[in-house]
């Protein structure tokens, strides 16, 4: 895991928790999310914003597998984004969730809502192991579109049930439904899926 020194408090911080923060005349500084939030709070008049760090938690999915989730809270002007994500080799990967609230909201209430969202997602499995490898279990697939750095073409890597699926493999899964129709809806990370 790459560690970066926060230019605010000087703490050694994992790079996924570093935000490049720029202000006019000062250039960019690499800040940990705590220092970043403090800066944003100062500039947006949300001084009363309570910066709470949450310890990682474990959750079990429908298949009985354990997932460790890390949390990050960011004050983004007039919204607060609370993210939960898994880490693989020190980088966010697998399941990822986001909830957006107002700076005045109780962050523990936001956390409660986020955990509810995570529970709901972890209790659903869209893919199942079939005769020919992974298959679509029912008729609905929910997932996330990510960058596939192993792909020569600019094709997405999709994450379903916390698993990375190449565009090619996903295409193969769809062939079970040859001749059927589909509907594709895209929504932002904080929206309900
Ligand atoms: Zn800091």
């Amino acid at each position: 895991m790459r560690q970066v020194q926060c230019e605010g408090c000087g703490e050694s911080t994992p790079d996924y928790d570093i935000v490049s923060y720029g202000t006019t005349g000062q250039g960019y500084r690499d800040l940990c999310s705590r220092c970043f939030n403090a800066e944003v709070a100062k500039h947006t008049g949300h001084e009363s914003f309570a910066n709470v760090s949450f310890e990682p938690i474990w959750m079990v999915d429908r298949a009985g597998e354990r997932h460790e989730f890390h949390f990050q809270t960011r004050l983004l002007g007039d919204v607060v984004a609370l993210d939960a994500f898994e880490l693989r080799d020190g980088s966010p990967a697998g399941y990822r969730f986001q909830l957006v609230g107002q700076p005045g909201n109780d962050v523990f209430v936001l956390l409660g809502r986020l955990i509810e969202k995570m529970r709901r997602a972890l209790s659903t499995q869209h893919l199942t192991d079939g005769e020919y490898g992974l298959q679509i279990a029912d008729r609905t697939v929910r997932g996330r579109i990510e960058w596939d750095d192993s792909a020569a073409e600019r094709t997405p890597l999709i994450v379903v049930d916390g698993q990375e699926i190449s565009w090619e493999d996903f295409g193969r899964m769809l062939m079970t439904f040859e001749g059927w129709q589909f509907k594709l809806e895209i929504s932002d990370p904080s929206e309900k899926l």
Side-chain angles (χ1 to χ4, degrees):
M1 184 190 305
R2 209 168 80 90
Q3 297 275 336
V4 176
Q5 200 179 7
C6 168
E7 292 176 60
C9 62
E11 293 250 349
S12 179
T13 309
D15 59 357
Y16 62 80
D17 200 33
I18 288 284
V19 187
S20 212
Y21 181 70
T23 40
T24 359
Q26 280 189 9
Y28 282 88
R29 288 190 301 156
D30 287 339
L31 298 180
C32 70
S33 55
R34 204 176 45 227
C35 292
F36 169 80
N37 290 344
E39 281 289 321
V40 177
K42 204 164 71 189
H43 291 286
T44 55
H46 295 296
E47 269 100 348
S48 58
F49 174 72
N51 203 351
V52 185
S53 305
F54 299 111
E55 290 298 312
I57 61 162
W58 288 95
M59 280 176 96
V60 176
D61 68 18
R62 200 172 147 177
E65 226 171 285
R66 275 157 64 98
H67 298 265
E68 189 189 20
F69 287 101
H70 295 254
F71 294 97
Q72 187 183 47
T73 317
R74 279 168 308 152
L75 177 60
L76 304 166
D78 288 330
V79 295
V80 178
L82 182 57
D83 284 89
F85 49 89
E86 293 186 271
L87 292 177
R88 220 157 280 155
D89 304 322
S91 297
Y95 278 109
R96 189 163 195 160
F97 302 98
Q98 189 183 71
L99 199 86
V100 167
Q102 260 86 53
N105 291 150
D106 183 337
V107 279
F108 287 97
V109 173
L110 292 181
L111 178 69
R113 278 170 49 206
L114 182 65
I115 288 176
E116 211 175 285
K117 189 175 175 176
M118 292 157 70
R119 280 237 164 82
R120 221 172 21 235
L122 265 70
S123 66
T124 315
Q125 272 197 301
H126 300 97
L127 303 180
T128 176
D129 250 325
E131 203 182 327
Y132 307 105
L134 278 179
Q135 284 179 338
I136 296 169
D138 195 8
R139 290 196 201 172
T140 305
V141 181
R142 291 182 186 83
R144 199 172 69 245
I145 306 164
E146 296 247 316
W147 166 260
D148 188 349
D149 52 12
S150 71
E153 303 289 333
R154 279 178 51 100
T155 55
L157 178 76
I158 63 164
V159 182
V160 182
D161 298 345
Q163 296 183 70
E164 296 180 348
I165 314 283
S166 72
W167 194 238
E168 210 183 314
D169 286 343
F170 188 56
R172 225 171 274 138
M173 287 181 208
L174 283 179
M175 283 316 288
T176 319
F177 301 97
E178 189 187 347
W180 292 39
Q181 337 177 62
F182 76 95
K183 174 174 147 189
L184 177 66
E185 265 181 51
I186 297 174
S187 55
D188 95 43
S190 67
E191 278 179 280
K192 196 177 165 200
L193 248 192

